[in-house]
Amino acid sequence: MVATARELTFAQAVGDGLACAMREDPRVWIFGEDVAAGGAYGASQGLLAEFGPARVRDTPISEIAIAGFAVGAAMTGTRPVPEIMHMDFAACAMDQLVNQMAKMRYMAGGKTSVPVTVRCGVGGWLGAAAQHSQSLEAWFTHMPGLKVAASGTAEDAKGVLIAAIRDDNPTIVLEPLALFPTRGQVPEEPYERPVGVASRKRDGGDLTIVTWGGIVPRVLEAAERLAEQGVEADVLDLLWLKPLDGEAILASLARTHRLLVVHQAYRRSGFGAEIVAYVNEHGFDLLDQPVRRVAGLDVPVPFAAPLEEYVLPSVERIVQAALDLA
């Protein structure tokens, strides 16, 4: 069957993924702050009308209640998809997320599963300041029992979300809020971006750029500028941080022998450091130069737009780091 694609915004692609999963499986339902009204950023628009209040529910402003309710609901046989409006607010629910949701299947000896898909709005370029602009994926990749996914295009957003909802394990899905208005071609049919499989966004032989999430469009813009200067980048969008597609990284390095890791999160202890460690342990002989990183500066994300742009990775910083490598 040939997929029929149409242009959707990133937010619409997320809503389309939710609708596909809910039509496919009556156990899937969504809840969170204002989701019945369409969500704070519009991703759940129209779902209440189609699926009704039993499967599209508003909650109090309490992330610990949202996460805790999701654990119990999953253990009783449903497949909940809670929304945490900004990933920063996950700090309010860390016990439920990392001590209950992540560990329950292990603690029960496999006698129960916790198929929860936690949607987290993430990242900067919103003018939302230090408490609403963070990328905290490294917190959750550190935790056994959780899977972590991130997408940077509308098409990937739908496929990643469907794959996460179908999976029997708890998954944190990062949705970059700054990309919600951006548009892309999205197939109508349900489809997956398979768990643990990266996506090559661009072919090149001079260096490998590994990235994910909200920075992906900037990396691709940087790759185009590099091509104008005769440098061809192999751009690998991880999609899934955990499980990590290490084989795809090593396969790219076998061709390029140079690695640049780009992410929006803070540089220190960011997930990029884990990629550097992985390559050092499994592919050191493939490298002609030390791995470079471009990341957010280690300061709170500012409110003022010029300062926010300075703190978060720019196309110019990515280009310069790539030129220094290549």
Side-chain angles (χ1 to χ4, degrees), residues 66 113 116 144 153 166 168 192-193 208 241 278 287 313 320:
I66 292 169
S113 61
V116 179
T153 69
R166 289 174 177 172
D168 286 334
E192 292 189 17
R193 290 291 184 260
T208 298
L241 309 186
Y278 178 88
L287 294 172
Q320 188 57 57

Side-chain angles (χ1 to χ4, degrees), residues 132-222:
H132 298 73
S133 303
Q134 298 175 97
S135 299
L136 302 171
E137 57 267 28
W139 288 6
F140 299 102
T141 57
H142 182 67
M143 188 54 51
L146 293 177
K147 296 183 178 182
V148 181
S151 50
T153 69
E155 183 178 3
D156 288 334
K158 177 179 176 178
V160 161
L161 187 56
I162 290 175
I165 293 172
R166 289 174 177 172
D167 196 275
D168 286 334
N169 299 284
T171 303
I172 309 294
V173 177
L174 285 67
E175 296 175 355
L177 295 171
L179 297 186
F180 269 32
T182 63
R183 308 183 74 86
Q185 293 295 314
V186 180
E188 290 186 13
E189 295 79 3
Y191 57 92
E192 292 189 17
R193 290 291 184 260
V195 176
V197 178
S199 171
R200 174 163 287 102
K201 291 293 191 285
R202 196 177 191 283
D203 294 327
D206 293 319
L207 80 156
T208 298
I209 304 180
V210 171
T211 189
W212 61 89
I215 196 70
V216 168
R218 291 191 171 208
V219 170
L220 293 173
E221 182 180 344

Side-chain angles (χ1 to χ4, degrees), residues 17-31 51 54-56 77-81 115 117 162 165-166:
L18 291 171
C20 287
M22 294 172 78
R23 294 175 193 131
E24 177 181 275
D25 189 339
R27 298 172 298 171
V28 177
W29 61 295
I30 70 172
F31 56 98
F51 298 102
R55 298 179 67 191
V56 182
T78 71
R79 305 183 79 87
V81 185
T117 300
I162 290 175
I165 293 172
R166 289 174 177 172

